[in-house]
Amino acid sequence: VPAPFEDCGRSPTFVQDLYINFKRYVWNDGTLDQREKAAIAFAVSFFMRCPQWAHFFSRRMEKLGFTEDGIIQVQAVVSTCSAYNTFFS
């Protein structure tokens, strides 16, 4: 069981719903492929400062062929966009 899912273990109904939606919308190909979805999920978890999910998705990105530089570039995009949104909103 991936560590981020363990945090939800106290609510079986929530875990079941999360897993079904996770598998459908995050894990499998759809309009977006698995690489795109993994990068988006990593970006969101990095932005939200959720280390368990950020670690999980950075490992997923590596398995899907991202290099360390590619992961760092995603972090740079998130950091740059969030900085501009904070200071110029």
Side-chain angles (χ1 to χ4, degrees), residues 5-20:
F5 285 99
E6 290 178 357
D7 294 338
C8 305
R10 293 185 193 97
S11 175
T13 304
F14 180 75
V15 172
Q16 182 179 7
D17 186 57
L18 175 63
Y19 176 75
I20 290 168

Side-chain angles (χ1 to χ4, degrees), residues 1-77:
V1 175
F5 285 99
E6 290 178 357
D7 294 338
C8 305
R10 293 185 193 97
S11 175
T13 304
F14 180 75
V15 172
Q16 182 179 7
D17 186 57
L18 175 63
Y19 176 75
I20 290 168
N21 286 311
F22 183 87
K23 187 175 177 185
R24 179 183 298 155
Y25 297 114
V26 180
W27 201 259
N28 294 324
D29 284 331
T31 302
L32 301 176
D33 66 25
Q34 291 180 31
R35 285 175 51 90
E36 293 166 324
K37 289 181 176 188
I40 292 167
F42 173 73
V44 171
S45 58
F46 176 73
F47 175 75
M48 297 302 295
R49 298 183 178 151
C50 183
Q52 296 91 344
W53 282 111
H55 177 76
F56 178 84
F57 282 112
S58 67
R59 300 292 76 85
R60 174 107 171 113
M61 289 172 70
E62 289 174 348
K63 288 177 185 175
L64 293 171
F66 279 85
T67 62
E68 184 178 348
D69 187 54
I71 294 169
I72 291 169
Q73 285 186 32
V74 172
Q75 291 174 314
V77 170

